[in-house]
Amino acid sequence: DTGVSQDPRHKITKRGQNVTFRCDPISEHNRLYWYRQTLGQGPEFLTYFQNEAQLEKSRLLSDRFSAERPKGSFSTLEIQRTEQGDSAMYLCASSPRGGLAGVSNEQFFGPGTRLTVL
Amino acid sequence: GENVEQHPSTLSVQEGDSAVIKCTYSDSASNYFPWYKQELGKRPQLIIDIRSNVGEKKDQRIAVTLNKTAKHFSLHITETQPEDSAVYFCAAGFGAAGNKLTFGGGTRVLVKP
């Protein structure tokens, strides 16, 4: 499968625990995005990277959340001291660098990691 | 920041009829407008997108129209089929801001055979 992959697909944790998710983008894509989706809602932007640089973080991303993309390839999203309100689907997407002639803006989504905080 | 409103939230149509979903956005700087289809338990998948320098785009039974002045865009699905049943999301993005997407709340479409 050459699409975006995410691991794990499901995570159940107790409140107060730390969790880490991984995203592997499509190999030639240099942009990587994290979104959060709750039931019945559209995805909400969390943060994005261009290569290894984290260029923007949403105000939704509290200081308990941190994301990295150390070598400009895979990315990790860590949530510290999880709360029940963190329960959601965490989606990763990747895209080529857009805005260039002939380059698609399309963001390709991974299957998501469903987090349940008990 | 950008705000995207999507209507209706649910839409039920008879097979073969047309379906129309409408979205409005608030930031006039937005210049990229994709539509995603999400089936139950699956990832969102792009079905069509449009850039702000184009007013209309069509791909087989799917078309999108954009009115930059009014800041609204619409998805049109003709000759609907049962496999079109899914949740559809519109979104808006701004290329110079990395094309981070702001999504609408979604429209659940049910095509009745």
Side-chain angles (χ1 to χ4, degrees):
Chain A
D1 186 0
T2 56
V4 179
S5 61
Q6 293 186 245
D7 183 69
R9 297 290 306 275
H10 303 272
K11 179 70 177 179
I12 300 173
T13 191
K14 293 182 179 179
R15 189 177 54 185
Q17 297 295 305
N18 299 344
V19 294
T20 300
F21 310 142
R22 176 179 170 125
C23 170
D24 286 89
I26 293 171
S27 59
E28 63 268 25
H29 288 180
N30 61 4
R31 283 187 174 171
L32 186 149
Y33 306 80
W34 285 98
Y35 293 87
R36 180 171 66 189
Q37 185 176 28
T38 53
L39 199 62
Q41 302 296 316
E44 294 176 297
F45 170 78
L46 294 178
T47 188
Y48 92 97
F49 294 82
Q50 182 156 306
N51 299 312
E52 66 276 9
Q54 186 175 20
L55 296 187
E56 187 169 347
K57 292 171 59 173
S58 165
R59 285 171 293 178
L60 292 173
L61 217 63
S62 76
D63 56 6
R64 297 185 297 105
F65 289 71
S66 62
E68 294 183 340
R69 194 183 183 196
K71 298 181 180 179
S73 56
F74 72 92
S75 175
T76 58
L77 178 68
E78 181 184 15
I79 309 174
Q80 296 182 326
R81 304 182 302 281
T82 52
E83 302 172 355
Q84 288 184 325
D86 297 332
S87 296
M89 176 74 84
Y90 289 83
L91 292 164
C92 174
S94 71
S95 75
R97 183 180 175 190
L100 302 175
V103 178
S104 169
N105 293 77
E106 179 177 357
Q107 292 185 24
F108 294 80
F109 281 84
T113 294
R114 180 168 296 285
L115 173 66
T116 302
V117 182
L118 302 176
Chain B
E2 176 65 275
N3 183 51
V4 177
E5 300 279 347
Q6 182 172 346
H7 299 280
S9 57
T10 59
L11 181 58
S12 182
V13 297
Q14 286 295 136
E15 181 178 359
D17 287 351
S18 295
V20 180
I21 304 170
K22 298 183 178 182
C23 289
T24 59
Y25 61 100
S26 61
D27 190 346
S28 56
S30 290
N31 58 6
Y32 174 63
F33 306 93
W35 286 86
Y36 282 84
K37 176 182 180 182
Q38 188 173 31
E39 298 177 28
L40 192 61
K42 301 280 185 68
R43 70 189 76 188
Q45 292 199 301
L46 182 78
I47 54 171
I48 195 166
D49 58 7
I50 191 168
R51 297 193 193 196
S52 60
N53 58 349
V54 175
E56 184 174 357
K57 184 176 178 181
K58 189 173 181 180
D59 182 4
Q60 299 183 0
R61 296 187 296 109
I62 295 172
V64 58
T65 58
L66 170 66
N67 182 328
K68 285 192 298 183
T69 303
K71 289 189 282 188
H72 68 69
F73 56 114
S74 301
L75 178 72
H76 304 253
I77 307 174
T78 58
E79 300 171 17
T80 53
Q81 300 168 3
E83 52 265 38
D84 294 329
S85 296
V87 179
Y88 292 80
F89 293 100
C90 63
F94 176 41
N99 262 335
K100 64 173 186 181
L101 297 177
T102 302
F103 284 82
T107 298
R108 182 172 300 278
V109 174
L110 175 63
V111 180
K112 295 183 284 187

